Amino acid sequence: MRYRKPQYYQNFQCIAGRCPDTCCAGWQIVIDEQSLERYSNVKSDFGTRLVNSIDWYQGTFEQYNRRCSFLNEENLCDIYQELGPEALCQTCRQYPRHVEEFEDLREYSLSLSCPEAARIMLSTKEKTEFEETEDAVEEDEEDYQDFDLLLFDRLEEARELIFAVIQDRSLNFSKRMAVLLRFSFEIQKALDKGELFELELKACMENILKKEEKGSLKARFRNMQAMAKDLEKLETLREDWGKEIENLQTQLYDRGEETYRNILERFHESLKKSGTAPYWDIWGEQILVFFVYTYFCGGVYDDMIYSKAVLSVFSVLWIREIILERCCIHGESLELETVCRAAWKFAREIEHSDENLNLLEEIFDGSAFYTPENFLSALVC
């Protein structure tokens, strides 16, 4: 079995009460069978509380005002305090550690939705590298009977080429996102035609790198307005997220194209004057690498490759729009804390809702708006 992790993976340690938010609110926490069995056998007043505060049919903790029933007023876990860390269910022990399972490979990552994980990821100035180890453990072949190993190998090869480009800091960051979209689109077309194994990936990437991308502020404004409507279709996990989307619509788009142009130009001018322009692109790069690493090779399970590239770029764009609105409208400073907060708030609404992830993939796959020729005008200003 092979194991792969980003170089910062081992740096994570929960900061508990010092966290600016909690991971125990906004989504259902699924309890594993072993923990359910343990909770059912706790003999004390707290055991009675456990029995009464779990949805035993669903295997989840009950929620009150969308908060876990064991999350106290200090945003700490009563199960942890009463029974110790070993009593936490598997979900609570693992988060924000995330695992993607493939035949003979497990890929580990930290979820961007965790404030501390986001801080670790976005404070990494060097290019993200991935450490790989191996042992003699073998997976049960029956668990991967339908796994297409040849397709997965092809996707891994393509992803390595993508990483090389999106971490090439000699290229404009918009160019890097454009290359990711065009390259993934070509892979998707080849897969759909049954020609993926005939496609020369390196040659395809080299040809795409030669393309010049054109866009305009007018097209960007139009596209961001259209994408905002798709963002509004998603399930809202937290009330403050609904207000965030409403603020974006009101402050950036409802006031018209000229106002949006002035806001964007003012923001980029401040990037130059403050000297934060290099960090702006590094933050974008780290977010893009995270989404590509976490989702791209998952296309082996559903043959939806291009939509995962769109998700990666879409996420960078909207995290940046949140930051734009906060800095230019609310006067926040463009610093690591501001970027992290925008990133983990966005990720909490996307990463932890299968409904939202599936709906976005349907939108990206079914709408001509998200083909490269249409979507790319949101990248180039």
Side-chain angles (χ1 to χ4, degrees):
M1 172 68 69
R2 291 183 295 141
Y3 306 90
R4 185 176 290 145
K5 303 173 183 177
Q7 82 267 27
Y8 52 73
Y9 181 84
Q10 302 294 350
N11 296 342
F12 175 79
Q13 185 173 0
C14 179
I15 57 175
R18 293 185 289 114
C19 187
D21 205 334
T22 174
C23 53
C24 306
W27 53 70
Q28 289 285 1
I29 299 173
V30 178
I31 310 168
D32 58 282
E33 291 294 332
Q34 186 176 354
S35 295
L36 283 171
E37 177 68 21
R38 174 171 185 167
Y39 296 155
S40 69
N41 290 311
V42 175
K43 306 299 182 184
S44 64
D45 289 343
F46 192 74
T48 303
R49 181 183 169 191
L50 277 165
V51 170
N52 293 332
S53 302
I54 291 174
D55 183 332
W56 294 92
Y57 179 76
Q58 297 287 340
T60 59
F61 291 115
E62 296 282 7
Q63 289 193 327
Y64 302 106
N65 296 322
R66 306 202 77 169
R67 290 167 61 89
C68 175
S69 52
F70 292 95
L71 182 64
N72 62 34
E73 293 181 357
E74 287 76 36
N75 278 346
L76 298 174
C77 175
D78 284 339
I79 293 178
Y80 185 102
Q81 292 186 331
E82 290 285 336
L83 303 178
E86 68 280 357
L88 294 177
C89 69
Q90 186 175 10
T91 300
C92 296
R93 284 198 307 271
Q94 288 186 343
Y95 182 80
R97 302 168 188 86
H98 175 77
V99 185
E100 288 291 329
E101 300 270 0
F102 305 105
E103 184 177 356
D104 196 36
L105 173 65
R106 288 180 185 165
E107 292 195 333
Y108 294 83
S109 61
L110 297 177
S111 295
L112 186 63
S113 57
C114 167
E116 178 63 7
R119 186 197 64 78
I120 291 170
M121 191 184 310
L122 294 174
S123 61
T124 302
K125 295 183 177 62
E126 62 269 19
K127 298 176 184 179
T128 299
E129 295 182 358
F130 299 94
E131 301 167 352
E132 190 166 313
T133 57
E134 190 170 355
D135 61 26
V137 174
E138 293 185 4
E139 287 284 1
D140 187 341
E141 290 185 5
E142 291 185 4
D143 293 339
Y144 294 93
Q145 283 184 336
D146 299 323
F147 190 84
D148 190 335
L149 186 57
L150 291 176
L151 174 58
F152 180 73
D153 288 344
R154 199 69 167 151
L155 291 178
E156 268 199 298
E157 182 184 353
R159 192 178 61 176
E160 284 302 309
L161 291 171
I162 290 169
F163 282 151
V165 169
I166 63 179
Q167 294 191 103
D168 183 350
R169 296 177 183 177
S170 69
L171 297 174
N172 177 279
F173 186 63
S174 293
K175 171 70 172 181
R176 293 184 252 169
M177 290 191 286
V179 170
L180 165 61
L181 290 172
R182 289 196 183 278
F183 185 57
S184 301
F185 191 72
E186 291 302 315
I187 292 172
Q188 186 71 64
K189 283 198 305 181
L191 178 64
D192 293 344
K193 294 178 181 178
E195 299 173 354
L196 180 57
F197 297 100
E198 287 73 47
L199 181 65
E200 292 290 340
L201 293 178
K202 288 185 179 179
C204 179
M205 177 65 86
E206 289 170 1
N207 288 333
I208 290 170
L209 280 165
K210 294 174 184 176
K211 288 181 177 288
E212 289 191 15
E213 306 296 343
K214 295 181 180 180
S216 66
L217 279 167
K218 183 179 184 66
R220 179 186 173 90
F221 175 73
R222 181 193 64 228
N223 282 14
M224 298 310 294
Q225 267 193 317
M227 285 192 288
K229 291 182 173 58
D230 287 336
L231 203 58
E232 291 171 356
K233 296 174 185 176
L234 303 182
E235 172 193 21
T236 300
L237 301 185
R238 293 188 172 204
E239 183 180 349
D240 61 347
W241 177 249
K243 293 178 181 177
E244 190 88 55
I245 300 303
E246 184 179 324
N247 285 341
L248 287 174
Q249 184 66 50
T250 302
Q251 300 294 341
L252 297 185
Y253 313 123
D254 287 351
R255 297 162 70 189
E257 179 189 332
E258 190 60 32
T259 298
Y260 181 76
R261 176 192 295 271
N262 291 337
I263 291 171
L264 200 60
E265 289 178 348
R266 192 166 73 247
F267 180 76
H268 284 291
E269 186 62 31
S270 71
L271 283 180
K272 294 176 184 177
K273 288 182 178 179
S274 64
T276 54
Y279 297 108
W280 180 242
D281 282 348
I282 289 173
W283 292 326
E285 175 190 307
Q286 299 293 13
I287 295 169
L288 194 62
V289 168
F290 164 78
F291 276 97
V292 171
Y293 174 64
T294 305
Y295 294 102
F296 185 82
C297 285
V300 72
Y301 291 114
D302 58 13
D303 291 345
M304 296 180 72
I305 299 164
Y306 179 65
S307 63
K308 291 172 177 58
V310 175
L311 174 66
S312 304
V313 174
F314 181 90
S315 298
V316 172
L317 289 179
W318 281 109
I319 290 169
R320 285 185 158 197
E321 288 292 275
I322 293 168
I323 296 166
L324 176 69
E325 193 264 343
R326 288 183 176 178
C327 291
C328 291
I329 304 300
H330 300 289
E332 293 188 27
S333 300
L334 180 60
E335 53 191 25
L336 181 63
E337 181 184 348
T338 303
V339 177
C340 286
R341 188 166 68 254
W344 60 255
K345 278 185 174 288
F346 174 87
R348 286 192 171 206
E349 297 295 318
I350 304 302
E351 281 193 272
H352 298 282
S353 170
D354 289 339
E355 179 180 330
N356 284 344
L357 282 171
N358 292 336
L359 178 56
L360 282 174
E361 287 222 305
E362 289 177 16
I363 292 171
F364 299 155
D365 185 57
S367 171
F369 175 77
Y370 290 98
T371 59
E373 296 304 327
N374 293 323
F375 189 35
L376 285 176
S377 57
L379 308 183
V380 184
C381 301

